[in-house]
C-alpha cells in the first residue's frame, strides 16, 4: 500500500509468490513528494525493502 504520492515496484513482480521467494520492494516518490519510510513488515527509511515470502505481509510506503 502507499500513503501519500508515490509508487512501489516489486522485483520479481508477480500476483503471488512461492514460499521462500525473495522480493525487493522499491519506493519512488512522485515529483514534489518526499519519501518518509516504510511501515508494516518493512521498516526504516531506505527506499528498498527485501522480504522473504514465508507469510502474508502488509507493507505501507509512506510519502509526504
Amino acid at each position: 500500500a502507499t500513503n501519500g504520492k508515490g509508487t512501489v515496484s516489486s522485483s520479481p513482480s508477480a500476483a503471488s509468490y512461492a514460499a521462500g521467494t525473495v522480493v525487493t520492494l522499491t519506493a519512488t516518490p512522485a515529483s514534489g513528494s518526499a519519501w518518509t519510510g516504510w511501515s508494516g513488515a518493512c521498516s526504516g527509511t531506505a527506499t528498498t525493502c527485501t522480504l522473504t515470502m514465508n507469510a502474508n505481509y502488509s507493507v505501507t510506503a509512506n510519502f509526504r
Side-chain angles (χ1 to χ4, degrees), residues 1 3-5 8 17 20 24 31 33 35 40 44-46 50 55 58-60 63:
N3 178 24
K5 295 183 180 180
V8 175
Y17 299 95
T24 300
S31 179
S33 292
W35 168 244
T45 57
T50 302
S58 176
V59 176
T60 302
F63 305 93

Side-chain angles (χ1 to χ4, degrees), residues 10-18 21 23 53 55-57:
S10 60
S11 179
S13 179
S16 63
Y17 299 95
T21 302
V23 178
M53 304 309 290
N56 290 325
Y57 291 110

Side-chain angles (χ1 to χ4, degrees), residues 20-50:
T21 302
V22 176
V23 178
T24 300
L25 303 176
T26 303
T28 305
S31 179
S33 292
W35 168 244
T36 60
W38 302 100
S39 57
C42 293
S43 62
T45 57
T47 56
T48 59
C49 171
T50 302

